[in-house]
Amino acid sequence: MQEVMHPSFKKVQMLESDNFITELNQPLNMATDPPFHQAYKSLIEDTSNNIFGKKLVLVEECELPLIDLSRILHNDNVVDESEREECKEEIARASQQWGFFQVTNHGISKDLLEKMREEQVKVFKQPFDKKSKEDKFMNFPAGSYRWGTPSATCLNQLSWSEAFHIPMADISASAAAFTTLSSTLEQFATTVAGLARKLTAILAEKLGRESTFFQENCLPSTCYLRMNRYPPCPVPSAIHGLMPHTDSDFLTILHQDEVGGLQLVKDGKWIAVKPNPEALIVNIGDLFQAWSNDVYKSVEHRVVTNPSTERFSIAYFFCPSYDTVIQNSEPSNYRKFSFREFRLQVQEDVQKYGHKVGLPRFLISH
């Protein structure tokens, strides 16, 4: 396959803070923000954790591969077959070489995206005391509201963010007190799920494999939405908004605002993703890398914090049922495993080491 055109880069500067603990102890919006300072006081005040010296960190900003989906989403009579195949090739190529790409003309209306953002902001602007009392707030299932990193043992493992992680099966039953939110979430989830099915079918086709696998195993009841908010952080160069990780699903589709902060590893170095208000971001997850036998890449990524501006995003995770078995034809790089086994291993590693190990746990030694 042809190489993806090299993007134009520019430098983004992140300067380390001189007054680390002093700035961290400045008050946040205590009415709505999680109590990061109180919960992680020992980590913040432990100077042995403060390994960040005075240095300038340069991160290159780039444009992800940009793919116009109008060539595959329109009727057969509108788009030439060669254009459709070219679009499919671009999707597969970006998934191999980047693990990330962005799509325009994706079928999710601008009005719906704007409405989703408005409703999301309303939710996060509720008082923290209300958000954290799940039995009295929005009827989301237990464990949906999350903030910080409970397992963090050092500042490198702390994520300065809050989120609602919602099983799609629970969306229609959730947010009883927020009927507009509930209907908007349902509409957003339904349209993005359709896009995920189309993209995974194309990626399976380019592997020469049956796309019915995803129809049979990735159902509305097995997928998730995650609404994210990243509050301003006094020391953005020292604490992540979301610590480096790979996604555990097949495919993730992200809608983010224009603040920026998403970064990923490309050619062994971190690069910053330039926000595109017209595009959705798509990335390959661990399960797809294993299922494709390393053809498609699940790439490490993170979110950096901003000292003055909050950031919002919403992610759709295209997941199978826990009983779904991941395997491919021999010779395979990975042993056969279920999604349940994968998730349990991730949880065990996070508890033991403070971070996810992921796919290396399932490699076969040749």
Side-chain angles (χ1 to χ4, degrees):
M1 290 186 175
Q2 293 180 339
E3 289 290 322
V4 174
M5 291 185 65
H6 194 279
S8 59
F9 289 108
K10 74 175 185 178
K11 297 292 185 182
V12 178
Q13 296 183 351
M14 290 164 41
L15 190 61
E16 298 291 352
S17 172
D18 292 335
N19 300 308
F20 179 77
I21 295 178
T22 301
E23 293 189 18
L24 270 176
N25 284 321
Q26 296 301 310
L28 299 176
N29 183 343
M30 300 310 293
T32 61
D33 287 343
F36 293 106
H37 294 148
Q38 295 93 320
Y40 299 102
K41 187 173 185 292
S42 60
L43 296 185
I44 291 169
E45 295 183 349
D46 181 359
T47 56
S48 65
N49 268 313
N50 182 12
I51 61 173
F52 310 93
K54 299 178 183 178
K55 61 181 180 179
L56 187 67
V57 180
L58 296 178
V59 179
E60 295 177 327
E61 185 177 71
C62 76
E63 297 271 7
L64 290 177
L66 182 62
I67 301 173
D68 179 357
L69 294 185
S70 63
R71 294 168 291 171
I72 60 171
L73 297 182
H74 284 161
N75 294 328
D76 292 347
N77 295 332
V78 178
V79 180
D80 183 84
E81 186 61 30
S82 63
E83 292 184 11
R84 180 174 287 104
E85 285 304 310
E86 180 184 15
C87 184
K88 292 179 180 180
E89 287 290 338
E90 289 174 9
I91 292 169
R93 189 160 58 240
S95 299
Q96 292 178 54
Q97 298 178 1
W98 285 77
F100 270 79
F101 55 94
Q102 51 188 344
V103 294
T104 57
N105 294 313
H106 39 64
I108 294 89
S109 72
K110 184 177 180 180
D111 288 345
L112 176 57
L113 292 176
E114 289 178 350
K115 186 63 177 177
M116 186 67 252
R117 178 57 42 79
E118 290 173 5
E119 294 301 319
Q120 183 178 355
V121 170
K122 287 180 186 177
V123 171
F124 283 112
K125 291 304 182 184
Q126 296 293 312
F128 173 76
D129 286 346
K130 291 182 66 176
K131 289 183 290 188
S132 57
K133 294 178 180 177
E134 295 167 348
D135 59 331
K136 297 181 180 179
F137 183 65
M138 297 168 53
N139 290 333
F140 283 141
S144 296
Y145 181 65
R146 306 171 184 183
W147 62 276
T149 310
S151 61
T153 58
C154 63
L155 289 176
N156 278 343
Q157 297 172 356
L158 174 59
S159 292
W160 196 274
S161 58
E162 59 178 331
F164 285 96
H165 191 83
I166 314 165
M168 282 185 59
D170 294 321
I171 288 176
S172 59
S174 299
F178 289 74
T179 55
T180 306
L181 170 64
S182 182
S183 61
T184 304
L185 277 172
E186 280 194 280
Q187 189 179 359
F188 178 83
T190 300
T191 52
V192 176
L195 176 59
R197 287 193 294 270
K198 288 184 175 69
L199 292 174
T200 50
I202 289 169
L203 290 168
E205 175 189 327
K206 289 303 172 183
L207 290 172
R209 301 188 64 176
E210 290 292 333
S211 61
T212 54
F213 174 87
F214 300 103
Q215 298 173 15
E216 295 166 357
N217 294 286
C218 299
L219 308 174
S221 60
T222 65
C223 299
Y224 297 82
L225 278 179
R226 185 181 178 102
M227 297 188 293
N228 302 299
R229 175 179 175 259
Y230 300 89
C233 179
V235 189
S237 56
I239 299 178
H240 295 111
L242 194 60
M243 64 182 290
H245 67 286
T246 58
D247 290 349
S248 296
D249 56 358
F250 275 109
L251 201 73
T252 303
I253 299 178
L254 178 77
H255 177 231
Q256 62 171 350
D257 61 22
E258 297 181 40
V259 174
L262 176 63
Q263 299 184 352
L264 59 91
V265 174
K266 175 70 169 132
D267 299 328
K269 61 184 177 183
W270 286 102
I271 59 173
V273 176
K274 184 178 181 180
N276 183 337
E278 303 299 321
L280 296 177
I281 292 176
V282 181
N283 68 276
I284 300 298
D286 295 339
L287 295 188
F288 221 144
Q289 177 167 329
W291 194 77
S292 71
N293 208 25
D294 291 335
V295 174
Y296 303 138
K297 302 297 188 260
S298 179
V299 173
E300 189 176 27
H301 54 285
R302 66 187 182 189
V303 176
V304 297
T305 49
N306 189 293
S308 59
T309 307
E310 62 186 349
R311 175 182 184 265
F312 293 92
S313 68
I314 183 166
Y316 170 82
F317 299 101
F318 194 58
C319 301
S321 67
Y322 284 142
D323 293 329
T324 300
V325 174
I326 308 302
Q327 61 182 331
N328 47 60
S329 57
E330 300 297 335
S332 174
N333 295 333
Y334 300 92
R335 66 175 177 83
K336 183 170 67 174
F337 62 90
S338 69
F339 187 36
R340 175 180 283 104
E341 185 180 358
F342 187 87
R343 289 292 299 271
L344 289 174
Q345 183 65 61
V346 168
Q347 292 169 10
E348 180 180 326
D349 287 337
V350 168
Q351 283 294 115
K352 189 172 182 179
Y353 303 110
H355 62 86
K356 169 185 170 181
V357 177
L359 285 178
R361 290 288 194 201
F362 299 89
L363 283 169
I364 297 175
S365 298
H366 293 290

